[in-house]
Amino acid sequence: MLLKDRVAIVTGAASPRGIGLATARALAAQGARIAILDLNEEAVQRAAGELGKGHRGYRCDVSSHEQCRKVVAAIQSDLGPVDSLLAFAGISRSTRFLEVTPEEYEAVMQANLRGTMNICQAVVPGMIEKGGGSIVCVGSIAAQRGGGVFGGTHYSASKGGVQSLAKAMARELAPRNIRVNAVAPGLIETDIFEGKLTETRKAEIAATIPMGRVGQPRDVADVCVFLVSDWASYVTGVVLDINGGLHIH
């Protein structure tokens, strides 16, 4: 029970086959009390209920600074001081560069980069007050390679921003005993690719991955448990690849 009685917020964690919910399950299995955040009220309550007694679901649009501030205050009141934040909320778009509209660019940046900034700004004051904490931000192989299998240029840019944000926060917050790391998943088989990742396409992609398979949500979840646990107590400012060897650099 690496995380017994600790409180963890997981954003973007209501999708049944998503990385966020897989991570929430893994954290709960290690004893943490989970606050699930997502856009759909019914979905967050269903996801929290799946985890069992003691876990809570909250509707929150992380692109809103005010909603983030209010929901973190509610979580602190309901569950206690927050020990860990795992910022998974975001959107993916595969639009080609010259076809990206200003509106779509803003939507991606707001959800991915601004959303990460908002929820971190809401959580950090409480972590400072309690004497420390741990944050995991979610980047992408798309930020490292200049595009992924499905992510477009604006998506890649947003995730590059998230990874840089995590490093900068790690440097600034380390003296306050707050560790900040990022994970950079490769292609992970989740609901986000529903309708796009056919069995034929999945086999084609798997053939390009040294480990011979597409990633699963639990592959990312287990790494996140490590990063927020005391086993990673001297790890901060890292962008940790989770891609089966697809991008070795």
Side-chain angles (χ1 to χ4, degrees):
M1 302 291 280
L2 292 173
L3 307 172
K4 184 174 174 56
D5 296 328
R6 297 188 188 181
V7 175
I9 295 174
V10 189
T11 72
S15 179
R17 294 178 59 247
I19 299 172
L21 184 53
T23 300
R25 292 188 189 111
L27 295 166
Q30 292 296 332
R33 297 195 304 277
I34 311 300
I36 287 180
L37 274 57
D38 216 313
L39 287 169
N40 184 285
E41 175 70 28
E42 182 180 347
V44 296
Q45 298 307 330
R46 182 172 60 247
E50 177 196 317
L51 296 181
K53 186 178 179 181
H55 308 290
R56 297 287 191 96
Y58 303 82
R59 186 196 176 281
C60 180
D61 180 353
V62 295
S63 68
S64 166
H65 182 83
E66 184 64 15
Q67 285 190 37
C68 288
R69 187 187 66 80
K70 287 182 178 179
V71 80
V72 169
I75 292 166
Q76 291 170 333
S77 176
D78 293 341
L79 298 178
V82 176
D83 298 281
S84 302
L85 166 65
L86 299 100
F88 285 93
I91 59 176
S92 174
R93 296 289 183 270
S94 57
T95 310
R96 304 294 294 178
F97 173 64
L98 291 178
E99 297 168 2
V100 176
T101 63
E103 293 77 17
E104 184 174 301
Y105 174 87
E106 288 297 331
V108 169
M109 287 294 175
Q110 283 281 76
N112 296 353
L113 184 51
R114 169 58 70 180
T116 301
M117 181 81 170
N118 284 342
I119 195 64
C120 288
Q121 282 188 320
V123 166
V124 164
M127 289 183 172
I128 292 174
E129 185 175 342
K130 74 180 290 294
S134 180
I135 297 172
V136 176
C137 302
V138 180
S140 173
I141 191 174
Q144 298 166 313
R145 298 180 66 190
V149 177
F150 295 112
T153 51
H154 49 336
Y155 173 78
S156 301
S158 72
K159 290 301 187 177
V162 168
Q163 291 171 189
S164 293
L165 175 64
K167 292 178 183 180
M169 286 194 297
R171 188 180 299 278
E172 183 173 330
L173 298 175
R176 312 306 291 266
N177 196 35
I178 298 172
R179 298 185 298 105
V180 187
N181 295 290
V183 292
L187 182 64
I188 307 297
E189 190 173 5
T190 68
D191 289 333
I192 201 170
F193 298 120
E194 189 173 2
K196 299 179 182 178
L197 193 61
T198 64
E199 289 301 315
T200 299
R201 182 66 175 132
K202 185 166 69 172
E204 291 171 351
I205 294 168
T208 70
I209 300 172
M211 290 190 70
R213 67 177 178 87
V214 170
Q216 298 299 314
R218 186 60 190 257
D219 293 321
V220 180
D222 289 342
V223 173
C224 291
V225 170
F226 162 72
L227 286 174
V228 300
S229 77
D230 291 343
W231 285 4
S233 62
Y234 201 54
V235 179
T236 196
V238 165
V239 178
L240 188 53
D241 296 352
I242 311 173
N243 59 45
L246 180 60
H247 182 56
I248 297 173
H249 58 104

